[in-house]
Amino acid sequence: MASTPEGPLDRRGFFSRGFAELFGKAAEAVGERVEDVAAAAGLRFPVVDAVRCLPFRDVACGVCARVCPVGEAALRLDERGRPVIGGACTACGQCIDACVTAPSSLQSS
Ligand code: SF4
Ligand code: SF4
């Protein structure tokens, strides 16, 4: 794989857009919500629960960001260490499972 900084991110972005379009078309074809089609396919898009997530209470964490296989384009920490989900997320669900709180502070949508 090329090692230029923008190369891998560009490919991830392309994959993510293609991914979103695919599920958008599938949902339209069957008359269902995109979230329902994605769930049926076993995909889990994370949504941050600001009540549970530790950095929202000024407790350092960031475990979710460390396990994300895509990297900052999918899950980055903001200046206060709070997780932010990005457009390159592939909905693998690994961050949801890795979250240190119970139940997870990353809810599947
Ligand atoms: S679902 Fe997967 S790709 Fe998306 S932010 Fe979580 S770990 Fe990263
Ligand atoms: S692992 Fe859970 S508690 Fe920690 S930053 Fe990520 S979402 Fe928040």
Side-chain angles (χ1 to χ4, degrees), residues 37-85:
V37 174
L43 300 172
R44 297 185 295 155
F45 291 95
V47 177
V48 180
D49 183 338
V51 174
R52 289 198 183 92
C53 178
L54 296 177
F56 283 84
R57 289 184 271 149
D58 296 325
V59 177
C61 182
V63 169
C64 51
R66 291 200 287 276
V67 303
C68 177
V70 177
E72 289 194 346
L75 202 173
R76 67 176 177 83
L77 302 178
D78 70 10
E79 64 282 355
R80 300 182 70 176
R82 297 169 173 178
V84 178
I85 307 302

Short mmCIF file of all heavy atoms in Angstrom, two decimals, residues 37-85:
data_model
loop_
_atom_site.label_atom_id
_atom_site.label_comp_id
_atom_site.label_asym_id
_atom_site.label_seq_id
_atom_site.Cartn_x
_atom_site.Cartn_y
_atom_site.Cartn_z
N VAL A 37 -31.80 -1.88 6.93
CA VAL A 37 -31.08 -2.72 5.96
C VAL A 37 -29.67 -3.02 6.47
O VAL A 37 -29.20 -4.16 6.39
CB VAL A 37 -31.02 -2.02 4.58
CG1 VAL A 37 -30.14 -2.81 3.61
CG2 VAL A 37 -32.43 -1.87 4.02
N ALA A 38 -29.03 -2.01 7.02
CA ALA A 38 -27.68 -2.20 7.55
C ALA A 38 -27.69 -3.20 8.71
O ALA A 38 -26.82 -4.07 8.80
CB ALA A 38 -27.10 -0.87 8.01
N ALA A 39 -28.68 -3.08 9.59
CA ALA A 39 -28.77 -3.99 10.73
C ALA A 39 -29.00 -5.42 10.26
O ALA A 39 -28.40 -6.36 10.80
CB ALA A 39 -29.89 -3.55 11.66
N ALA A 40 -29.83 -5.58 9.24
CA ALA A 40 -30.09 -6.91 8.71
C ALA A 40 -28.83 -7.52 8.11
O ALA A 40 -28.67 -8.74 8.08
CB ALA A 40 -31.21 -6.84 7.66
N ALA A 41 -27.94 -6.67 7.64
CA ALA A 41 -26.68 -7.14 7.06
C ALA A 41 -25.61 -7.34 8.13
O ALA A 41 -24.46 -7.65 7.82
CB ALA A 41 -26.19 -6.14 6.02
N GLY A 42 -25.96 -7.11 9.41
CA GLY A 42 -25.01 -7.32 10.49
C GLY A 42 -24.09 -6.14 10.73
O GLY A 42 -23.05 -6.29 11.38
N LEU A 43 -24.44 -4.98 10.19
CA LEU A 43 -23.59 -3.80 10.35
C LEU A 43 -24.09 -2.97 11.53
O LEU A 43 -25.28 -2.90 11.79
CB LEU A 43 -23.63 -2.95 9.08
CG LEU A 43 -23.13 -3.68 7.84
CD1 LEU A 43 -23.38 -2.84 6.60
CD2 LEU A 43 -21.66 -3.99 7.98
N ARG A 44 -23.14 -2.36 12.23
CA ARG A 44 -23.49 -1.57 13.41
C ARG A 44 -22.80 -0.22 13.36
O ARG A 44 -21.58 -0.13 13.52
CB ARG A 44 -23.11 -2.33 14.69
CG ARG A 44 -23.89 -3.64 14.83
CD ARG A 44 -23.59 -4.31 16.15
NE ARG A 44 -22.21 -4.72 16.22
CZ ARG A 44 -21.54 -4.88 17.37
NH1 ARG A 44 -22.12 -4.63 18.51
NH2 ARG A 44 -20.30 -5.27 17.37
N PHE A 45 -23.56 0.81 13.13
CA PHE A 45 -23.02 2.16 13.10
C PHE A 45 -23.05 2.72 14.53
O PHE A 45 -24.10 2.76 15.16
CB PHE A 45 -23.86 3.06 12.19
CG PHE A 45 -23.74 2.72 10.73
CD1 PHE A 45 -24.67 1.89 10.12
CD2 PHE A 45 -22.71 3.23 9.96
CE1 PHE A 45 -24.57 1.57 8.78
CE2 PHE A 45 -22.59 2.91 8.62
CZ PHE A 45 -23.53 2.08 8.02
N PRO A 46 -21.90 3.15 15.06
CA PRO A 46 -21.86 3.65 16.44
C PRO A 46 -22.39 5.07 16.57
O PRO A 46 -22.15 5.92 15.71
CB PRO A 46 -20.37 3.60 16.77
CG PRO A 46 -19.69 3.79 15.46
CD PRO A 46 -20.59 3.15 14.42
N VAL A 47 -23.12 5.31 17.64
CA VAL A 47 -23.58 6.65 18.01
C VAL A 47 -23.14 6.90 19.44
O VAL A 47 -23.41 6.08 20.33
CB VAL A 47 -25.12 6.77 17.90
CG1 VAL A 47 -25.58 8.14 18.37
CG2 VAL A 47 -25.58 6.50 16.47
N VAL A 48 -22.46 8.01 19.66
CA VAL A 48 -21.90 8.30 20.99
C VAL A 48 -23.00 8.71 21.96
O VAL A 48 -23.81 9.60 21.67
CB VAL A 48 -20.84 9.42 20.90
CG1 VAL A 48 -20.26 9.71 22.29
CG2 VAL A 48 -19.73 9.04 19.92
N ASP A 49 -23.01 8.04 23.12
CA ASP A 49 -23.93 8.40 24.19
C ASP A 49 -23.21 9.37 25.13
O ASP A 49 -22.35 8.96 25.92
CB ASP A 49 -24.36 7.14 24.94
CG ASP A 49 -25.38 7.43 26.04
OD1 ASP A 49 -25.45 8.58 26.49
OD2 ASP A 49 -26.08 6.49 26.44
N ALA A 50 -23.54 10.64 25.03
CA ALA A 50 -22.83 11.68 25.78
C ALA A 50 -23.13 11.62 27.28
O ALA A 50 -22.45 12.27 28.07
CB ALA A 50 -23.19 13.06 25.23
N VAL A 51 -24.10 10.85 27.68
CA VAL A 51 -24.38 10.72 29.11
C VAL A 51 -23.42 9.71 29.75
O VAL A 51 -22.90 9.93 30.84
CB VAL A 51 -25.85 10.27 29.34
CG1 VAL A 51 -26.10 9.98 30.82
CG2 VAL A 51 -26.79 11.35 28.84
N ARG A 52 -23.15 8.63 29.02
CA ARG A 52 -22.30 7.57 29.58
C ARG A 52 -20.80 7.75 29.29
O ARG A 52 -19.97 7.42 30.13
CB ARG A 52 -22.71 6.21 29.01
CG ARG A 52 -24.03 5.69 29.51
CD ARG A 52 -24.13 4.19 29.26
NE ARG A 52 -25.42 3.70 29.68
CZ ARG A 52 -26.46 3.60 28.86
NH1 ARG A 52 -26.36 3.96 27.60
NH2 ARG A 52 -27.62 3.15 29.30
N CYS A 53 -20.48 8.24 28.12
CA CYS A 53 -19.08 8.29 27.67
C CYS A 53 -18.21 9.09 28.64
O CYS A 53 -18.51 10.24 28.97
CB CYS A 53 -19.03 8.89 26.27
SG CYS A 53 -17.36 9.05 25.62
N LEU A 54 -17.12 8.48 29.10
CA LEU A 54 -16.30 9.04 30.18
C LEU A 54 -15.73 10.43 29.90
O LEU A 54 -15.77 11.30 30.78
CB LEU A 54 -15.19 8.05 30.54
CG LEU A 54 -15.66 6.71 31.10
CD1 LEU A 54 -14.46 5.80 31.35
CD2 LEU A 54 -16.46 6.91 32.38
N PRO A 55 -15.14 10.70 28.73
CA PRO A 55 -14.58 12.03 28.50
C PRO A 55 -15.63 13.16 28.57
O PRO A 55 -15.26 14.31 28.79
CB PRO A 55 -13.98 11.92 27.09
CG PRO A 55 -13.66 10.48 26.95
CD PRO A 55 -14.79 9.77 27.65
N PHE A 56 -16.89 12.84 28.41
CA PHE A 56 -17.92 13.87 28.57
C PHE A 56 -18.07 14.24 30.05
O PHE A 56 -18.72 15.21 30.39
CB PHE A 56 -19.26 13.38 28.01
CG PHE A 56 -19.31 13.43 26.50
CD1 PHE A 56 -18.78 12.40 25.75
CD2 PHE A 56 -19.88 14.52 25.84
CE1 PHE A 56 -18.80 12.44 24.36
CE2 PHE A 56 -19.90 14.57 24.46
CZ PHE A 56 -19.37 13.52 23.71
N ARG A 57 -17.47 13.41 30.93
CA ARG A 57 -17.45 13.70 32.37
C ARG A 57 -16.02 14.00 32.82
O ARG A 57 -15.65 13.82 33.97
CB ARG A 57 -18.03 12.51 33.14
CG ARG A 57 -19.54 12.40 32.94
CD ARG A 57 -20.11 11.28 33.79
NE ARG A 57 -20.08 10.00 33.08
CZ ARG A 57 -19.94 8.82 33.67
NH1 ARG A 57 -19.80 8.75 34.96
NH2 ARG A 57 -19.95 7.72 32.96
N ASP A 58 -15.21 14.43 31.86
CA ASP A 58 -13.82 14.81 32.11
C ASP A 58 -12.97 13.69 32.68
O ASP A 58 -12.06 13.91 33.49
CB ASP A 58 -13.76 16.05 33.02
CG ASP A 58 -14.38 17.27 32.35
OD1 ASP A 58 -14.22 17.39 31.11
OD2 ASP A 58 -15.03 18.06 33.04
N VAL A 59 -13.29 12.45 32.27
CA VAL A 59 -12.47 11.28 32.62
C VAL A 59 -11.81 10.78 31.33
O VAL A 59 -12.51 10.48 30.36
CB VAL A 59 -13.32 10.15 33.24
CG1 VAL A 59 -12.45 8.92 33.54
CG2 VAL A 59 -14.01 10.64 34.50
N ALA A 60 -10.49 10.72 31.31
CA ALA A 60 -9.78 10.32 30.10
C ALA A 60 -10.07 8.86 29.76
O ALA A 60 -10.18 8.01 30.64
CB ALA A 60 -8.28 10.52 30.28
N CYS A 61 -10.20 8.57 28.45
CA CYS A 61 -10.44 7.19 28.02
C CYS A 61 -9.83 7.00 26.62
O CYS A 61 -8.63 6.89 26.49
CB CYS A 61 -11.93 6.86 28.05
SG CYS A 61 -12.29 5.15 27.59
N GLY A 62 -10.66 6.94 25.60
CA GLY A 62 -10.15 6.82 24.23
C GLY A 62 -9.90 5.40 23.78
O GLY A 62 -9.29 5.17 22.73
N VAL A 63 -10.36 4.41 24.54
CA VAL A 63 -10.17 3.01 24.17
C VAL A 63 -10.79 2.72 22.80
O VAL A 63 -10.22 2.02 21.96
CB VAL A 63 -10.76 2.07 25.24
CG1 VAL A 63 -10.82 0.64 24.75
CG2 VAL A 63 -9.93 2.18 26.51
N CYS A 64 -11.97 3.26 22.56
CA CYS A 64 -12.67 3.02 21.30
C CYS A 64 -11.83 3.45 20.10
O CYS A 64 -11.76 2.74 19.09
CB CYS A 64 -14.02 3.73 21.28
SG CYS A 64 -13.91 5.48 21.72
N ALA A 65 -11.17 4.59 20.22
CA ALA A 65 -10.36 5.11 19.11
C ALA A 65 -9.15 4.21 18.86
O ALA A 65 -8.71 4.06 17.72
CB ALA A 65 -9.91 6.53 19.41
N ARG A 66 -8.64 3.59 19.90
CA ARG A 66 -7.46 2.74 19.73
C ARG A 66 -7.79 1.43 19.03
O ARG A 66 -6.92 0.83 18.39
CB ARG A 66 -6.81 2.47 21.10
CG ARG A 66 -6.15 3.71 21.70
CD ARG A 66 -5.12 3.33 22.76
NE ARG A 66 -5.72 2.86 24.00
CZ ARG A 66 -6.16 3.66 24.98
NH1 ARG A 66 -6.07 4.97 24.84
NH2 ARG A 66 -6.67 3.16 26.07
N VAL A 67 -9.02 0.95 19.13
CA VAL A 67 -9.35 -0.33 18.49
C VAL A 67 -9.89 -0.17 17.07
O VAL A 67 -9.98 -1.15 16.34
CB VAL A 67 -10.37 -1.15 19.32
CG1 VAL A 67 -9.85 -1.40 20.72
CG2 VAL A 67 -11.73 -0.49 19.33
N CYS A 68 -10.26 1.04 16.70
CA CYS A 68 -10.86 1.22 15.37
C CYS A 68 -9.85 0.85 14.28
O CYS A 68 -8.77 1.44 14.22
CB CYS A 68 -11.33 2.66 15.18
SG CYS A 68 -11.99 2.97 13.52
N PRO A 69 -10.19 -0.09 13.41
CA PRO A 69 -9.24 -0.53 12.39
C PRO A 69 -9.07 0.48 11.25
O PRO A 69 -8.12 0.38 10.49
CB PRO A 69 -9.85 -1.84 11.88
CG PRO A 69 -11.31 -1.69 12.12
CD PRO A 69 -11.43 -0.87 13.38
N VAL A 70 -9.97 1.42 11.15
CA VAL A 70 -9.88 2.41 10.07
C VAL A 70 -9.02 3.60 10.49
O VAL A 70 -8.20 4.11 9.72
CB VAL A 70 -11.29 2.90 9.66
CG1 VAL A 70 -11.20 3.98 8.59
CG2 VAL A 70 -12.13 1.73 9.16
N GLY A 71 -9.18 4.05 11.71
CA GLY A 71 -8.40 5.18 12.18
C GLY A 71 -9.21 6.46 12.28
O GLY A 71 -10.44 6.43 12.34
N GLU A 72 -8.52 7.58 12.29
CA GLU A 72 -9.16 8.86 12.58
C GLU A 72 -10.23 9.26 11.59
O GLU A 72 -11.10 10.06 11.92
CB GLU A 72 -8.10 9.96 12.66
CG GLU A 72 -7.24 9.86 13.89
CD GLU A 72 -6.43 11.13 14.12
OE1 GLU A 72 -6.35 11.95 13.19
OE2 GLU A 72 -5.91 11.28 15.22
N ALA A 73 -10.17 8.76 10.38
CA ALA A 73 -11.20 9.11 9.41
C ALA A 73 -12.54 8.50 9.81
O ALA A 73 -13.60 8.94 9.36
CB ALA A 73 -10.81 8.64 8.01
N ALA A 74 -12.51 7.49 10.66
CA ALA A 74 -13.75 6.85 11.12
C ALA A 74 -14.07 7.21 12.56
O ALA A 74 -15.23 7.41 12.92
CB ALA A 74 -13.64 5.33 10.99
N LEU A 75 -13.05 7.28 13.40
CA LEU A 75 -13.27 7.59 14.81
C LEU A 75 -12.06 8.37 15.32
O LEU A 75 -10.96 7.83 15.41
CB LEU A 75 -13.45 6.29 15.63
CG LEU A 75 -14.17 6.40 16.97
CD1 LEU A 75 -14.40 5.02 17.55
CD2 LEU A 75 -13.48 7.28 17.97
N ARG A 76 -12.29 9.63 15.64
CA ARG A 76 -11.22 10.46 16.18
C ARG A 76 -11.65 11.00 17.54
O ARG A 76 -12.85 10.98 17.87
CB ARG A 76 -10.89 11.63 15.24
CG ARG A 76 -11.99 12.66 15.12
CD ARG A 76 -11.59 13.83 14.25
NE ARG A 76 -12.70 14.76 14.09
CZ ARG A 76 -13.01 15.71 14.98
NH1 ARG A 76 -12.27 15.85 16.07
NH2 ARG A 76 -14.05 16.51 14.78
N LEU A 77 -10.68 11.44 18.30
CA LEU A 77 -10.97 12.08 19.57
C LEU A 77 -10.81 13.58 19.39
O LEU A 77 -9.83 14.04 18.79
CB LEU A 77 -10.01 11.57 20.65
CG LEU A 77 -10.03 10.06 20.90
CD1 LEU A 77 -9.00 9.69 21.96
CD2 LEU A 77 -11.43 9.58 21.31
N ASP A 78 -11.76 14.37 19.89
CA ASP A 78 -11.65 15.82 19.75
C ASP A 78 -10.68 16.37 20.78
O ASP A 78 -10.03 15.61 21.51
CB ASP A 78 -13.05 16.48 19.81
CG ASP A 78 -13.68 16.44 21.21
OD1 ASP A 78 -12.99 16.06 22.18
OD2 ASP A 78 -14.88 16.78 21.32
N GLU A 79 -10.58 17.67 20.88
CA GLU A 79 -9.58 18.29 21.76
C GLU A 79 -9.82 17.98 23.24
O GLU A 79 -8.93 18.13 24.07
CB GLU A 79 -9.54 19.81 21.53
CG GLU A 79 -10.80 20.56 21.88
CD GLU A 79 -11.90 20.44 20.83
OE1 GLU A 79 -11.68 19.84 19.75
OE2 GLU A 79 -12.99 20.95 21.09
N ARG A 80 -11.00 17.50 23.57
CA ARG A 80 -11.29 17.12 24.96
C ARG A 80 -11.30 15.59 25.14
O ARG A 80 -11.72 15.09 26.17
CB ARG A 80 -12.63 17.72 25.39
CG ARG A 80 -12.62 19.25 25.32
CD ARG A 80 -13.91 19.86 25.78
NE ARG A 80 -14.10 19.72 27.23
CZ ARG A 80 -15.13 20.24 27.89
NH1 ARG A 80 -16.06 20.93 27.23
NH2 ARG A 80 -15.23 20.09 29.18
N GLY A 81 -10.86 14.88 24.10
CA GLY A 81 -10.77 13.43 24.18
C GLY A 81 -12.09 12.72 23.94
O GLY A 81 -12.21 11.51 24.19
N ARG A 82 -13.06 13.45 23.45
CA ARG A 82 -14.38 12.85 23.22
C ARG A 82 -14.44 12.23 21.82
O ARG A 82 -14.01 12.84 20.85
CB ARG A 82 -15.45 13.93 23.36
CG ARG A 82 -15.52 14.50 24.76
CD ARG A 82 -16.40 15.72 24.82
NE ARG A 82 -16.57 16.16 26.20
CZ ARG A 82 -17.25 17.23 26.57
NH1 ARG A 82 -17.83 18.00 25.66
NH2 ARG A 82 -17.35 17.54 27.85
N PRO A 83 -15.00 11.02 21.70
CA PRO A 83 -15.03 10.36 20.40
C PRO A 83 -16.00 11.03 19.43
O PRO A 83 -17.10 11.45 19.80
CB PRO A 83 -15.50 8.94 20.74
CG PRO A 83 -16.21 9.06 22.04
CD PRO A 83 -15.57 10.20 22.79
N VAL A 84 -15.54 11.11 18.19
CA VAL A 84 -16.36 11.68 17.11
C VAL A 84 -16.33 10.68 15.95
O VAL A 84 -15.24 10.29 15.49
CB VAL A 84 -15.79 13.03 16.63
CG1 VAL A 84 -16.63 13.59 15.47
CG2 VAL A 84 -15.73 14.03 17.79
N ILE A 85 -17.48 10.25 15.49
CA ILE A 85 -17.56 9.27 14.41
C ILE A 85 -17.48 10.00 13.07
O ILE A 85 -18.17 11.00 12.85
CB ILE A 85 -18.88 8.46 14.48
CG1 ILE A 85 -19.07 7.85 15.86
CG2 ILE A 85 -18.89 7.38 13.40
CD1 ILE A 85 -17.95 6.95 16.32
#
